[in-house]
């Protein structure tokens, strides 16, 4: 499997692209950065150390201005999952602004950061799976904790920005969803059904996209990001990052991407495709 990653991914995923992206992002003077997982290939300590260095040296934002959740690759083995290797590496970035009552949550999640008009809530959906299966799961413990979080006045009064690695709405077919999707996505959508508006940011699919998910009180914009390191022939998969504008009233405004130009090695603005 490691040989497969080296042979098939090394020429596509490039460290110099990630560093250029981090520098461009830093130049944009954004208020907060969300990282939706798969910062590693095999959940190795050395990989996580390299990511920490990149966040500190290239992104140059304090931990309270960065939110990060694990992907399935960040919990690649049962050993890395059991040892909480990801959480140990990124603990400074995972300090929650809400203290959970004893027995409501465990293992750091949900991570809640209250920032101006938004409540950023991070969940862990990556779990160890058999080879060739990348499906995720929120699980009953996190779902119960998320229900509690969303009832808190300081969260309910803000616009929700939900961070998961797997999308809350699977754009592909049933088989793909079972192998690679979020298996309890229906349960998660039921928990957030009372949200009148918000963003549900995800990675995993390595594709820029926006899909509107209706709730009982309004709508959530489910938005996917590409890999920060992937050099790809398809424009919607090329290395990029998304930029979200939310005003002081919590209203969601423009959503755009900054996409790599491989010739100039610079990033320029592009729209996020909307899936119908």
């Amino acid at each position: 499997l490691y040989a497969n990653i080296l042979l098939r991914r090394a020429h596509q995923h490039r460290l110099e692209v990630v560093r250029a992206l981090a520098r461009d992002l830093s130049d944009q003077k954004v208020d907060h950065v969300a990282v939706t997982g798969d910062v590693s290939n095999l959940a190795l300590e050395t990989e996580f150390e390299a990511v920490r260095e990149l966040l500190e040296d290239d992104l140059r934002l304090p931990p309270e201005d960065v939110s990060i959740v694990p992907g399935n690759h960040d919990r690649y083995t049962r050993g890395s999952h059991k040892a909480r290797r990801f959480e140990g590496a990124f603990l400074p970035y995972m300090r929650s602004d809400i203290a959970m009552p004893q027995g409501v949550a465990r293992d750091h999640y949900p991570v809640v950061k209250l920032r101006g008009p938004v409540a950023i809530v991070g969940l862990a959906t990556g779990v160890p799976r058999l080879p060739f299966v990348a499906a995720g799961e929120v699980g009953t413990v996190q779902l119960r904790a998320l229900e509690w979080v969303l009832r808190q006045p300081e969260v309910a009064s803000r616009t929700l920005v939900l961070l998961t690695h797997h999308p809350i709405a699977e754009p592909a077919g049933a088989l793909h969803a079972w192998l690679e999707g979020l298996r309890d996505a229906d349960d998660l959508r039921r928990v957030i059904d009372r949200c009148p508006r918000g963003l549900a940011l995800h990675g995993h699919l390595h594709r820029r996209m926006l899909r509107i998910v209706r709730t009982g009180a309004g709508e959530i914009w489910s938005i996917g990001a590409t890999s920060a390191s992937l050099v790809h022939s398809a424009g919607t998969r090329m290395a990029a990052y998304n930029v979200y504008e939310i005003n002081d009233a919590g209203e969601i405004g423009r959503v755009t991407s900054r996409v790599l130009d491989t010739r100039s090695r610079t990033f320029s603005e592009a729209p996020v495709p909307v899936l119908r």
Side-chain angles (χ1 to χ4, degrees):
L1 190 55
Y2 186 50
N4 175 62
I5 289 172
L6 287 176
L7 292 172
R8 298 187 62 187
R9 296 188 179 216
H11 69 290
Q12 294 178 318
H13 292 269
R14 300 177 183 174
L15 178 59
E16 68 270 17
V17 170
V18 183
R19 292 195 180 280
L21 184 149
R23 290 192 294 269
D24 186 83
L25 200 163
S26 179
D27 291 342
Q28 299 305 306
K29 306 299 182 184
V30 298
D31 296 313
H32 202 89
V33 171
V35 182
T36 51
D38 274 3
V39 300
S40 68
N41 275 335
L42 297 170
L44 301 176
E45 291 182 1
T46 51
E47 291 177 305
F48 293 147
E49 288 170 3
V51 175
R52 279 285 300 269
E53 290 178 6
L54 185 142
L55 291 174
E56 294 166 0
D57 298 342
D58 294 277
L59 192 58
R60 300 190 297 275
L61 283 175
E64 58 266 27
D65 291 339
V66 179
S67 295
I68 183 169
V69 295
N72 53 294
H73 278 271
D74 303 319
R75 290 179 157 186
Y76 206 75
T77 65
R78 295 192 182 278
S80 63
H81 189 187
K82 185 177 180 180
R84 318 305 295 170
R85 197 174 293 163
F86 178 92
E87 289 74 19
F90 299 106
L91 185 60
Y93 300 88
M94 303 177 68
R95 302 195 187 282
S96 186
D97 292 336
I98 292 182
M100 302 285 177
Q102 188 173 5
V104 170
R106 63 169 183 251
D107 299 335
H108 302 285
Y109 306 101
V111 175
V112 183
K113 295 187 179 183
L114 306 176
R115 298 292 183 270
V118 303
I120 304 166
V121 180
L123 300 176
T125 63
V127 294
R129 296 289 189 191
L130 294 173
F132 308 111
V133 178
E137 184 178 359
V138 180
T140 56
V141 173
Q142 282 191 95
L143 288 170
R144 185 172 64 248
L146 178 62
E147 285 184 301
W148 182 89
V149 165
L150 295 179
R151 289 197 301 267
Q152 305 314 300
E154 59 266 54
V155 175
S157 62
R158 288 173 162 87
T159 297
L160 175 67
V161 178
L162 184 68
L163 308 183
T164 61
H165 179 64
H166 297 77
I168 67 168
E170 177 57 56
L175 178 59
H176 183 275
W178 179 252
L179 292 175
E180 297 192 28
L182 187 62
R183 291 189 178 174
D184 51 0
D186 290 345
D187 296 327
L188 176 55
R189 289 198 300 272
R190 278 193 287 270
V191 172
I192 64 175
D193 190 60
R194 294 183 181 180
C195 294
R197 63 188 177 193
L199 300 175
L201 310 183
H202 68 86
H204 194 53
L205 302 180
H206 296 179
R207 179 181 169 194
R208 290 184 296 119
M209 67 176 86
L210 187 158
R211 195 176 196 199
I212 295 175
V213 177
R214 305 294 177 184
T215 70
E219 62 185 34
I220 300 286
W221 293 5
S222 174
I223 304 178
T226 65
S227 168
S229 61
L230 181 63
V231 175
H232 201 283
S233 58
T236 58
R237 295 181 182 275
M238 178 64 77
Y241 63 92
N242 297 336
V243 181
Y244 315 96
E245 296 181 6
I246 300 175
N247 67 19
D248 291 339
E251 297 168 335
I252 302 168
R254 291 202 328 145
V255 176
T256 58
S257 290
R258 289 186 61 80
V259 183
L260 174 70
D261 182 325
T262 55
R263 290 170 296 183
S264 64
R265 292 290 176 176
T266 60
F267 290 79
S268 58
E269 187 174 297
V272 178
V274 178
L275 298 185
R276 302 296 181 184

